[in-house]
């Protein structure tokens, strides 16, 4: 059952699609104090778990840390961080009784989950206007389903978005893309999409393509498409401030950019230099921005990724002036260590600063709203601009669209990717742990940068990561400019990559069916073992295996120089090791097992009485034969 409590006059985040009559706050089941800040507190039993918060660091069970809801351009996903790109304000408190809590509030929230006190939860909402929802139910999965119905059906991408995808910040000219395509094709490596990062644009101007790099872009995109490759360009939130650039000129003339307190366009710097920030919270501005995607859909493009939409601000013109002044003050000081630190802070503090987020404004339903008070829906509304347009222009389930920043509600129109991870073994595990958490919050189409974005990848890391990626709806290999090349053909044992990627295509019919069912039925595709085996003390603590759909369990290898791993089976299962067209099966009983997994194998566990269908391997989804499937079952 859902209960709603309204405090003050909340900003319309459009997270929720059902209308629920609010109840008096006196019925709210937790201690709550109101004021400038709203504080919710409660005490847990030491055996209780807390799940949720979507895209966040640390475990599936969130106990033992302070998390923050504040969409952040955070490029270093270490355990000490509190916030990543998404703000997903839903948790389930799971003990003897279970209860879901959703805080629909678009500014900062601090979630002290058993950090200050080992059994104390203290949630600080930095404001006094919000909708609170509690969701009761018998099981975590049931609570999630009820919550997901409240927030509406999840985005379903086209089937080809389940193909393997290659990306790299640094592919620039036409030949780079052709070479990626041909290198995959030549070596029997499947591929459906190649991403275009910021390098394709003319001076980083959204919706432009650099002529020198792509003399005839439409012909190029058509040619790629005729070979079953979709090109997926990036779109950044900021619009270059440049007279004569039609997107800027139009947005400026219509007053569609965010303004400072005096009503002047707010100026900040991102990749293009000084940009205007489109006011995605203003419906007209949002529709206008969405319609700009037509420049590229007219070229045959049907997929996009939206970046830098927290929004990431390298600096603001005012912030730069302030820092400059500070440096000026310090200039003639004797260069002592404290002046040095002050200088350093003055410069480093410029990026993504709270001062800047507090100094620009939106017009939302005729109301002037300070950005800080609505920060967490900015990126979500940018992606909404795109997804609304794409649905109108291309039709339902025809376009691929996903975002870096997000808020619950954005899951109805788009997917997300998990941003700038590292080529670290620990980030395979972080990738796994985020999957059930984001599913709880509605995001089904999602995935991490396979192989890792920052830092240098190795052959074994990529193979092991792909063996998890085989199961994530978005299966994209992406890396940062200047890092070691990590396309599947860059390493010694190309055949091993071909073996692992073949498994993805074998599984696509199963994965896509499962995905669709989960979207239709408001279900989770990935679940912690704790959700399925609540009576099993051992299963309840497992954080490196997941249940997938109704049939399977997955348990990837995530440590270097290991030939396998330990797994816990909460019931008898069939271990299936998939590699190319090979299948090795072994029945295993309930309990702990060490399983050998070679670098070119993908381990999968099938539950008793269940079966899954496999297709023949294919080099892209267009060639996938979904009519001739064969079953692997455990009866
Ligand atoms: O400031 O477009 O997360 O995937 O490659 C970095 C360049 C901007 C951040 C994204 C990443 C992308 C990169 N972008």
């Amino acid at each position: 059952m859902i209960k709603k409590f309204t405090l003050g006059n909340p900003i319309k985040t459009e997270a929720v699609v059902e209308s629920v009559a609010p109840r008096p706050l006196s019925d709210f089941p937790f201690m709550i104090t109101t004021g400038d800040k709203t504080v919710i507190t409660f005490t847990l039993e030491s055996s209780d778990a807390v799940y949720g918060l979507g895209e966040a660091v640390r475990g599936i069970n969130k106990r033992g840390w302070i998390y923050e809801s504040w969409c952040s351009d955070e490029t270093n996903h270490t355990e000490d961080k509190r916030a990543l790109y998404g703000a997903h304000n839903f948790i389930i408190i799971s003990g003897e009784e279970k209860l879901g809590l959703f805080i629909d509030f678009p500014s900062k929230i601090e979630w002290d989950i058993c950090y200050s006190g080992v059994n104390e939860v203290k949630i600080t909402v930095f404001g006094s206007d919000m909708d609170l929802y509690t969701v009761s139910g018998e099981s975590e999965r049931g609570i999630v389903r009820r919550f997901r119905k409240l927030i509406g059906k999840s985005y379903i991408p086209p089937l080809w978005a389940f193909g393997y995808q290659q990306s790299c910040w640094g592919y620039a000219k036409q030949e780079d893309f052709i070479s990626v395509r041909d290198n995959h094709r030549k070596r029997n490596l499947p591929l459906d999409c190649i991403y275009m990062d910021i390098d394709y644009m003319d001076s980083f101007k959204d919706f432009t393509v650099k002529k020198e790099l792509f003399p005839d872009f439409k012909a190029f995109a058509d040619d790629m498409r005729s070979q079953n490759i979709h090109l997926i360009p990036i779109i950044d939130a900021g619009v270059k401030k440049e007279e004569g650039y039609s997107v800027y000129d139009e947005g400026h003339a219509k007053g569609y950019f965010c303004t400072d307190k005096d009503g002047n366009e707010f100026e900040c710097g991102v990749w293009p230099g000084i940009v205007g920030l489109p006011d995605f919270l203003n419906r007209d501005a949002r529709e206008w921005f969405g319609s700009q995607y037509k420049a590229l859909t007219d070229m045959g493009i049907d997929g996009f990724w939206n970046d830098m939409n927290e929004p990431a601000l390298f600096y603001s013109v005012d912030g730069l002036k302030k820092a400059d002044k500070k440096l000026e003050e310090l200039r003639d000081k004797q260069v002592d260590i404290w002046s040095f630190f002050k200088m350093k802070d003055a410069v480093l503090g410029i990026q993504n600063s709270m001062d800047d987020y507090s100094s620009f404004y939106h017009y939302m339903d005729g109301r002037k709203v300070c950005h800080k008070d609505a920060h967490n829906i900015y990126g979500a509304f940018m992606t909404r601009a795109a997804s609304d347009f794409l649905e109108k222009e291309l039709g339902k389930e025809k376009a691929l669209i996903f975002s870096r920043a997000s808020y619950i509600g954005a899951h109805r129109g788009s997917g997300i990717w998990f941003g700038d991870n590292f080529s670290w073994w620990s980030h395979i595990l972080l990738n796994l742990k985020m999957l059930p958490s984001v599913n709880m919050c509605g995001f089904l189409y999602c995935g991490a940068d396979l192989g890792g974005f920052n830092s240098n990848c190795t052959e074994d890391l990529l193979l092991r990561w792909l063996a998890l990626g085989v199961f994530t709806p978005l299966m994209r290999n992406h890396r940062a400019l200047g890092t070691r090349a990590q396309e599947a053909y860059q390493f010694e044992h190309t055949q091993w990559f071909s073996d692992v990627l073949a498994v993805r295509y074998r599984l696509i019919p199963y994965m896509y069916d499962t995905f669709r069912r989960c979207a239709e039925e408001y279900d989770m595709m990935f679940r912690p073992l704790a959700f399925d085996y609540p009576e099993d003390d051992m299963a309840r603590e497992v954080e490196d295996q997941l249940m997938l759909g109704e049939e399977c369990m997955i348990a990837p290898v995530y440590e270097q120089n290991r030939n396998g791993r330990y797994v816990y089976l909460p019931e008898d299962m069939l271990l299936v090791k998939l590699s190319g067209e090979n299948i090795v099966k072994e029945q295993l009983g309930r309990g702990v097992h060490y399983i050998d997994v070679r670098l070119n194998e993908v381990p999968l566990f099938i539950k008793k009485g269940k079966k899954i269908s496999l297709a023949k391997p294919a080099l892209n989804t267009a060639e996938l034969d979904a009519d001739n499937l064969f079953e692997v079952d455990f009866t």
Side-chain angles (χ1 to χ4, degrees), residues 48-54 56-64 67 90-94 113 140 428-438 440 524 526-531 539-547 554:
D48 293 352
V50 178
Y51 301 106
L53 293 184
V57 296
R58 298 204 174 214
I60 295 176
N61 182 349
K62 306 313 283 185
R63 284 183 75 129
Y67 303 87
F90 177 62
I91 57 172
I92 291 179
I93 304 126
S94 164
I113 304 183
E140 292 88 351
I428 300 182
L429 198 51
L430 182 61
N431 180 174
L432 178 138
K433 290 178 186 187
M434 272 195 225
L435 293 168
S437 307
V438 300
M440 287 175 68
M524 296 167 72
F526 298 101
R527 296 176 307 283
L529 271 57
F531 285 20
R540 278 170 37 131
E541 290 185 5
V542 172
E543 294 239 352
D544 59 357
Q545 307 170 196
L546 295 175
M547 303 311 296
I554 59 169

Side-chain angles (χ1 to χ4, degrees), residues 73 85 167-169 197-199 234 236 270-271 305 307-308 312 314 404 417 419-420 449 453 476 478-481:
D73 168 23
Y85 314 89
S167 182
C168 168
W169 176 9
D197 207 319
I198 48 175
D199 322 83
I234 195 170
D236 279 3
V270 212
W271 290 108
W305 51 313
D307 191 19
M308 307 298 272
F314 291 168
R404 196 169 72 173
W417 97 99
D420 303 348
D449 289 351
F453 176 76
R476 182 179 78 144
H478 179 49
R479 69 177 173 93
L481 190 66

Side-chain angles (χ1 to χ4, degrees), residues 258-486:
C258 295
T259 52
D260 65 16
K261 63 176 186 331
D262 304 320
N264 301 314
E265 232 161 66
F266 176 74
E267 295 184 329
C268 56
V270 212
W271 290 108
I274 303 299
V275 299
L277 292 174
D279 185 358
F280 300 117
L281 275 50
N282 169 340
R283 192 177 307 273
D284 295 336
R286 185 162 73 231
E287 273 174 23
W288 163 78
F289 190 85
S291 69
Q292 303 303 317
Y293 284 76
K294 193 162 167 28
L296 291 160
T297 53
D298 280 350
M299 302 277 171
I301 297 297
D302 55 359
F304 296 91
W305 51 313
N306 284 347
D307 191 19
M308 307 298 272
N309 52 0
E310 294 72 27
L313 307 179
F314 291 168
Y315 59 89
S316 69
V317 170
D318 272 353
L320 209 55
K321 281 186 193 145
K322 272 187 218 147
D324 207 39
K325 211 162 140 221
K326 188 98 214 165
L327 293 181
E328 183 85 44
E329 278 166 33
L330 295 168
R331 182 161 300 155
D332 297 325
K333 294 253 158 30
Q334 215 179 343
V335 187
D336 70 304
I337 195 72
W338 304 115
S339 306
F340 164 74
F341 283 131
K342 279 186 198 152
M343 275 164 66
K344 205 174 115 201
D345 291 349
V347 176
L348 295 181
I350 293 179
Q351 203 165 342
N352 301 322
S353 85
M354 201 47 118
D355 274 358
D356 285 340
Y357 291 129
S358 308
S359 59
F360 64 94
Y361 297 84
H362 302 274
Y363 281 92
M364 199 180 179
D365 305 321
R367 187 168 147 193
K368 188 171 174 183
V369 177
C370 179
H371 175 78
K372 172 177 63 67
D373 298 325
H375 175 76
N376 288 342
I377 53 174
Y378 185 78
F381 277 48
M382 173 197 182
T383 301
R384 173 90 175 268
S387 58
D388 284 354
F389 170 77
L390 293 169
E391 188 170 325
K392 258 197 308 197
E393 183 73 10
L394 304 175
K396 241 186 156 45
E397 297 181 21
K398 292 289 184 219
L400 170 58
I401 170 77
F402 60 88
S403 181
R404 196 169 72 173
S406 62
Y407 185 83
I408 289 174
H411 70 285
R412 295 192 297 271
S414 66
I416 48 173
W417 97 99
F418 301 155
D420 303 348
N421 55 12
F422 272 74
S423 297
W424 291 343
W425 290 86
S426 61
H427 278 182
I428 300 182
L429 198 51
L430 182 61
N431 180 174
L432 178 138
K433 290 178 186 187
M434 272 195 225
L435 293 168
S437 307
V438 300
N439 276 190
M440 287 175 68
C441 299
F443 294 94
L444 295 184
Y445 191 80
C446 61
D449 289 351
L450 301 172
F453 176 76
N454 293 297
S455 161
N456 295 325
C457 186
T458 55
E459 180 178 80
D460 52 352
L461 177 71
L462 182 57
L463 283 163
R464 292 302 197 197
W465 209 328
L466 289 174
L468 168 63
V470 154
F471 300 106
T472 63
L474 168 63
M475 187 189 189
R476 182 179 78 144
N477 175 337
H478 179 49
R479 69 177 173 93
L481 190 66
T483 57
R484 180 184 184 184
Q486 65 185 44

Side-chain angles (χ1 to χ4, degrees), residues 143-186:
I143 291 173
V144 169
R145 282 193 159 154
R146 186 61 198 90
F147 173 62
R148 292 263 304 279
K149 190 156 172 279
L150 177 75
I151 58 173
K153 198 176 118 177
S154 300
Y155 162 73
I156 300 178
L159 176 81
W160 55 262
F162 277 70
Y164 179 58
Q165 320 187 356
Q166 181 61 51
S167 182
C168 168
W169 176 9
Y171 299 158
K173 47 188 189 314
Q174 200 160 295
E175 293 71 36
D176 297 342
F177 297 88
I178 294 173
S179 137
V180 171
R181 177 192 71 195
D182 293 348
N183 274 307
H184 281 84
R185 293 286 185 256
K186 243 186 352 229

